[in-house]
């Protein structure tokens, strides 16, 4: 079973307040994108890589790929206006291919570890859908729409914070999206959510994530990621 790493690098960096997409910002001497792709490139269980980015940045990504000699990167393709459209664009490349595992990762999580990727791939030997998550450490409150009063405080021991990668059997994620696209009210922020909503009979297994596998979202995340990167290097 081939394992295809799909690096979603279509973010605009709007919340970061950056003039360039956050995946092209420098972190510990490399772009954020390079950190993510390098880990997949160097992983023995990953057979092939697709990078999905905004159309105007394809040339830049191609230049980086050439300089890095990422031999596993087989496709650099444009993404969509929404995250799920970027996933669909990547999936289309393999529509007529034999069954394989599609492993989606946000480029904005540059410190994903080889251990997380290994556990995700191995979990796909048994499960058809796999998520990565860490237990919630803060108490989470739920409000009513349009209000700022607490409606509910869920049991924190049952709550997890999602990360990526998220891995799937190709046929399973294809079927989930086939059903989703028939729903006029379809909305999605991640691929596991599409499975949970439209293929509820397919359980999604949780792989243990890591605090270092955080997402670059705000300017203040950059020094945190720098510090976490240093700690990772010290423990290798």
């Amino acid at each position: 079973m081939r394992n295809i790493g799909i690096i979603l690098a279509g973010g605009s960096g709007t919340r970061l307040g950056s003039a360039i997409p956050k995946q092209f910002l420098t972190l510990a001497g490399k772009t954020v994108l390079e950190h993510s792709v390098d880990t997949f490139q160097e992983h023995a269980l990953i057979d092939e890589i697709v990078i999905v980015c905004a159309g105007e940045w394809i040339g830049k990504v191609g230049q980086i790929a050439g300089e890095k000699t990422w031999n596993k990167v087989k496709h650099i393709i444009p993404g969509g206006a929404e995250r799920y459209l970027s996933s669909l664009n990547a999936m289309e490349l393999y529509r007529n291919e034999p069954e394989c595992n599609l492993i989606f990762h946000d480029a904005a999580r540059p410190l994903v570890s080889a251990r997380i990727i290994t556990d995700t791939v191995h979990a796909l030997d048994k499960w058809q859908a796999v998520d990565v998550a860490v237990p919630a450490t803060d108490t989470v409150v739920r409000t009513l729409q349009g209000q700022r009063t607490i409606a509910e405080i869920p049991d924190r021991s049952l709550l997890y914070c999602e990360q990526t990668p998220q891995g799937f059997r190709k046929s399973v994620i294809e079927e989930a999206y086939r059903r989703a696209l028939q729903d006029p009210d379809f909305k999605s922020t991640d691929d596991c959510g599409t499975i949970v909503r439209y293929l509820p009979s397919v359980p999604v297994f949780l792989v243990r994530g890591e605090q270092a596998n955080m997402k670059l979202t705000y300017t203040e995340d950059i020094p945190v990621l720098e510090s976490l990167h240093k700690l990772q290097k010290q423990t290798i």
Side-chain angles (χ1 to χ4, degrees):
M1 187 80 69
R2 288 199 306 156
N3 298 302
I4 313 298
I6 298 171
I7 309 298
L8 299 171
S12 63
T14 302
R15 283 180 289 180
L16 194 73
S18 172
I20 63 173
K22 56 189 173 184
Q23 54 271 22
F24 298 107
L25 296 176
T26 300
L27 174 71
K30 299 192 296 188
T31 64
V32 168
L33 175 65
E34 287 175 79
H35 282 282
S36 294
V37 178
D38 278 347
T39 306
F40 276 76
Q41 166 69 33
E42 295 163 8
H43 201 288
L45 297 179
I46 298 298
D47 300 295
E48 190 169 312
I49 298 171
V50 178
I51 301 175
V52 188
C53 64
E56 62 268 29
W57 289 92
I58 287 179
K60 175 66 174 178
V61 175
Q63 178 186 348
I64 294 173
E67 294 170 353
K68 298 286 294 189
T69 61
W70 286 331
N71 65 301
K72 291 184 182 179
V73 175
K74 304 302 181 183
H75 306 278
I76 301 171
I77 63 172
E82 302 288 342
R83 185 189 188 280
Y84 79 91
L85 293 173
S86 294
S87 294
L88 286 170
N89 285 357
M91 290 163 55
E92 181 63 21
L93 294 171
Y94 300 94
R95 183 163 59 90
N96 297 318
E97 295 285 325
E99 184 72 291
C100 60
N101 294 324
L102 300 180
I103 301 166
F104 298 84
H105 182 65
D106 293 331
R109 294 186 186 273
L111 302 187
V112 61
S113 68
R115 193 276 303 166
I116 289 176
I117 297 173
T118 298
D119 287 357
T120 300
V121 171
H122 286 167
L124 286 167
D125 290 338
K126 179 179 180 181
W127 305 88
Q128 299 180 87
V130 177
D131 200 357
V132 172
V134 293
T137 56
D138 295 323
T139 297
V140 178
V141 300
R142 185 180 68 81
T143 63
L144 296 176
Q145 187 172 4
Q147 298 184 20
R148 289 194 177 182
T149 55
I150 295 175
E152 179 188 7
I153 301 179
D155 182 352
R156 188 176 67 186
S157 68
L158 302 177
L159 301 178
Y160 284 74
C161 298
E162 273 194 323
Q163 299 183 342
T164 63
Q166 297 180 348
F168 311 92
R169 284 281 192 276
K170 179 176 76 77
S171 58
V172 168
I173 191 65
E174 285 177 337
E175 176 60 18
Y177 271 113
R178 186 192 68 79
R179 298 185 185 187
L181 294 174
Q182 294 175 353
D183 179 1
D185 297 321
F186 170 56
K187 294 180 181 178
S188 174
T189 57
D190 75 296
D191 302 298
C192 279
T194 305
I195 295 285
V196 169
R197 182 170 181 181
Y198 296 99
L199 278 183
S201 62
V202 176
V204 180
F205 180 76
L206 287 184
V207 162
R208 176 175 58 88
E210 297 170 2
Q211 294 299 331
N213 188 29
M214 64 178 286
K215 188 174 184 179
L216 172 57
T217 304
Y218 302 105
T219 303
E220 53 265 34
D221 294 334
I222 295 176
V224 176
L225 284 163
E226 292 271 4
S227 297
L228 290 170
H229 180 264
K230 289 179 182 178
L231 287 173
Q232 277 188 337
K233 291 298 183 183
Q234 291 170 5
T235 56
I236 293 177

